[in-house]
Every structure is written in C-alpha cells, then in structure tokens.
Amino acid sequence: MLQPLPTAAEPTQQVRVRLFASLRDAMGWSEQLVRLETATATPLALWHQLGLGPEHQGPDEPPTEVRVAINQQFAAWDAPLQAGDELAFLPPISGG
Amino acid sequence: MLQPLPTAAEPTQQVRVRLFASLRDAMGWSEQLVRLETATATPLALWHQLGLGPEHQGPDEPPTEVRVAINQQFAAWDAPLQAGDELAFLPPISGG
Amino acid sequence: MAAPWRSIRLEPEPFEPLQALAAWHAALATALGALPAAESHFIGRVRPSSASGEPLAALELEHYPGMTEAQLQALAQAAAAQHGATAVLVHHRVGRVLPGEPIVLVAVAADRRGPALRCGQELLEALKHEVPFWKREWLADGRSSWVTGNTPL
Amino acid sequence: MAAPWRSIRLEPEPFEPLQALAAWHAALATALGALPAAESHFIGRVRPSSASGEPLAALELEHYPGMTEAQLQALAQAAAAQHGATAVLVHHRVGRVLPGEPIVLVAVAADRRGPALRCGQELLEALKHEVPFWKREWLADGRSSWVTGNTPL
C-alpha cells in the first residue's frame, strides 16, 4: 500500500504526503509517496489508509484539529486528489 | 472690571485667565488677571464677563465646543473659582 | 502590579521615532532585565496637504505648557493601569512641524499582545481628544487656519 | 489603488526589529517619495517561561517551506487590500529562538491611523492561525513539547 520511493514507471499515479511537527513526531515519518488506489481519493481516505487517525475514529470522521493542504494551499478533507499532488496534514498552528 | 496687571495689594482676590489657539487669536489677548467680583464666580460667569461668547449666547448657556481647565485640570463650567486659580478656556483640541 | 514605566516627552525639534524606540528599549532592558513579550508602536506624520486639500507648508502645534505634560502623564498612567501594560512611551512634537516629519510616537510594552495593542490604541485616541494640543495649518502663501477636529479613524 | 507594497521575510537568524524598520522606511521613502501619515508596528518576543510555567531554554519554530511564505504573502495582500493600507511588513523567525529574542515583527503604513492599526492587528491574528508555523518549547533538561494553541489575546 505505501510506496517508500517513487516508482519511475508511473510517477503520475502518486501523491506525495507530508507530515509536520507533532504529527510527524507521533508517526515517525515526514514524507511518503503514496500510490493512488482509486480515482476518487481524498485527504480523508488517505488519512485512514495511512493509519494517521486513532483507531476509534470512524472512516467518515475527519480529525477536528488537523488541517489539510493540497499543493501548499489549505483544502477540504473531501477535496479530490490528483496524481502528482502534494498533500500535507497540518497539526494545530501556533505562529506569531 | 479687567485688571491688566496684578494688584500687589490684593493678589489673592484675582484669577488668571488664559486663552489658547483660535480663541486667543479671535480675542487678541492670551492672558489676563481678573478680579473676582463675587464669592461664587464660575468659569461660565467669567466667560460672559470677559465677553468671550457670541452676543446671541444666553448667560446660562455654556459654549459647546470650548472646554474649561482650572489649575491645569479639566473642570466644569459651573465649578467654583477660588482666588489665585488659573482658569483656561480651551478651543477644540486637535492632538496626535 | 508595579507602576507602569512611563516615558513622556514633548519634542520642540524633529525627532527620529526609531532612535527614540532604541533608547527606550535600552532603558527598559536595564530597568526590567528583559523586554516584555509584546510591544506595539504607532507613528503619526504630518500629511503633505491641508484639511482642504491644499499643499501644506507646515503644521504649527501649540500646547498648554504644564497642563499638556500633566495630561499626557495622567492618560498614560490610566491607560497602562487599565490594560495592565508594563511600559508606555509618548513623544509628541510641539512648534513648527514640516510635512513628512513625525508628529507623534506612542509605544506600549506588555506581557501579551492584547494589552499592548489595546493600550496603544486607547492612548492614541485619548491624546487626540483629551490633551491640550492645537494644530494650525500654514499654507505656502502665508495663510493659516486652526484645525477644528481630528482626522477620522 | 496601487498594489500594497509588501516586505515578507522568514528569518533563520536573530534579527533586530528597529533595524528592519529603518531599512523598510528607507525603501518605502524611495518607492513612494515620502512615508505615509500613519504607521503601526507590533513586535513579539519569546517569553522566558513555557506554557506550563517552567523556565524555557529555547523555542523551536518549524514551518512548511513554500506554503508558509505563500500564505504570508497572500494574507498580507488580503489584509492590506481590505483596509486600504499602503505597505505591509512581516518578518518572522524560524528555527531555534532564545527567550527575549524577537520572533515576529508586523508593520503597516497607511494614510490614516485606522487602517494602519486595524490592518496590523488583523494580520497579527491571521498569522497566528492561518500560517503553517509550529512552536516547540525546549526546557533546560532536554524535554520538549509542541505548543497546541496560541496565547490568549
């Protein structure tokens, strides 16, 4: 399911997933290339596919404190993902 | 009625009146020593006594745009004046 | 809490706000050991044109010596106490001020951004309405007129 | 109106806010001919203690390279346009920041004090909630924890 490195043969079938701060620390990785399993993948689907949420979290339930960015812009949990996208899961922001 | 200079014999019977900015320009003087005529003098009474208001202004009618300071603190038009006080009439403020 | 640290000054000559702030920082760091976590500043400069839109030659700032300083001190003290600010600075020009020159500098240091921002804003409004300053606009041809109100927010 | 003049910078090393403002003044004066009549600044510094009250060794500021800069640009543009500000500056530290060091500087120049103050305040709140920065507090004994929210206003 997870692809540790890009597959040269079909780079356009993949999404780059990035984690930051406490989420990266909790999961132990900062970046993965993930093959799109379906034509209708969403951030929420990948969130569950990668095991990022707690086990008790239902599959249709987005985490309330984490935000999503697609290609470095804030996006919705049910936004459609395209091959080649960069998807980031952002734990609570604390700037300024 | 107006005393151009302090009278050495009875300095405590006087109030120093000061005008600023547009009010001083309109009246042509900046400071006068005024003898207190009554024991119950007020800024409003002196305002009229010195002819500072327009002619149509009634004697009980304080000017809406001018403020009063007694001894360099804002005061009411009907505040009691003491001999030796410094009374100032302040046209609309425009600081900052 | 301790009495707020105040730096109140009438400036008869042009002053440079950033130099004034640097000196304030140095004095505050010495007095407090470190600068507070939040700091807000406001700088006001003379506009190039009069209220009626004509080119301005200069702005004359009259004040009431004694009362003006006392009012600035009292308002700075009250605003700092109300908002829990640590330190307040107000420097205000008097005399003849040229277009582009700084006329007022207000700075507030506090433990949090809310008090720093609110105290600064309140103090700025207060000194526009509660401190005896009067502005007279001078035009190039020698005409002048007293400003009768403040610019809108 | 003309597009607002923006100076957005991530600072990997300690910076001096008053020096940054002096450089901004010089650039603005060159670009505009004169500095606008109203200017607001905010400086935020690292507190000496952690959210739980322990002495802080350092604050680590993580960001999302690319997205952080783009979001700062977009928010500065939007706030300046909404309030009619002439110029906006945001400098924000990244990396390891020591107690007392400046972490953020926001400055706004505008024709009137209202837009300068409101734009600055709005931008400050926006960058606390809408720009990908994450703070981690490091204590003297080597423990660290991610900050989960912002300090209250």
Side-chain angles (χ1 to χ4, degrees), chain B residues 24-25 72 86 91 94 96, chain C residues 62 64 67 133-135 146:
Chain B
R24 175 199 57 224
D25 287 0
Q72 307 198 352
E86 175 171 301
S94 56
Chain C
E62 182 171 337
Y64 184 169
M67 180 173 177
F133 286 114
W134 297 273
K135 291 186 183 125
W146 292 99

Side-chain angles (χ1 to χ4, degrees), chain C residues 53-134:
Chain C
E54 293 172 279
L56 194 73
L59 200 62
E60 177 188 339
L61 265 152
E62 182 171 337
H63 70 294
Y64 184 169
M67 180 173 177
T68 300
E69 295 91 328
Q71 271 294 101
L72 284 174
Q73 290 282 359
L75 290 169
Q77 167 69 35
Q82 186 193 330
H83 296 283
T86 307
V88 176
L89 173 148
V90 180
H91 291 195
H92 200 295
R93 273 297 301 276
V94 294
R96 185 178 174 87
V97 193
L98 301 180
E101 285 184 354
I103 187 172
V104 64
L105 168 66
V106 174
V108 179
D111 284 339
R112 292 182 296 121
R113 66 190 186 283
L117 293 165
R118 287 190 294 262
C119 179
Q121 192 155 354
E122 180 177 304
L123 198 45
L124 185 61
E125 291 311 307
L127 69 84
K128 285 180 174 282
H129 301 288
E130 300 297 326
V131 185
F133 286 114
W134 297 273

Side-chain angles (χ1 to χ4, degrees), chain A residues 41-83:
Chain A
T42 64
L44 185 57
L46 279 185
W47 173 264
H48 289 297
Q49 180 183 334
L50 293 169
L52 291 167
E55 288 186 6
H56 59 79
Q57 200 175 44
D60 297 330
E61 207 179 327
T64 53
E65 300 223 311
V66 175
R67 293 174 74 178
V68 168
I70 298 177
N71 297 328
Q72 308 200 349
Q73 301 214 323
F74 287 119
W77 281 94
D78 60 356
L81 284 167
Q82 312 284 332

Side-chain angles (χ1 to χ4, degrees), chain A residues 18-25 65 67-69 71-74 86-96, chain D residues 61-67 71 92 103-104 124 127-136 146-150:
Chain A
R18 301 183 66 172
L19 304 183
F20 290 91
S22 58
L23 199 52
R24 176 199 56 226
D25 288 1
E65 300 223 311
R67 293 174 74 178
V68 168
N71 297 328
Q72 308 200 349
Q73 301 214 323
F74 287 119
E86 175 172 302
L87 169 64
F89 294 113
L90 312 178
I93 281 170
S94 56
Chain D
L61 265 153
E62 182 171 337
H63 71 294
Y64 185 168
M67 180 173 177
Q71 270 294 101
H92 201 295
I103 188 171
V104 63
L124 184 60
L127 69 85
K128 285 180 176 285
H129 301 287
E130 300 297 326
V131 185
F133 287 113
W134 297 274
K135 290 186 183 125
R136 192 206 307 237
W146 291 100
V147 175
T148 53
N150 280 292

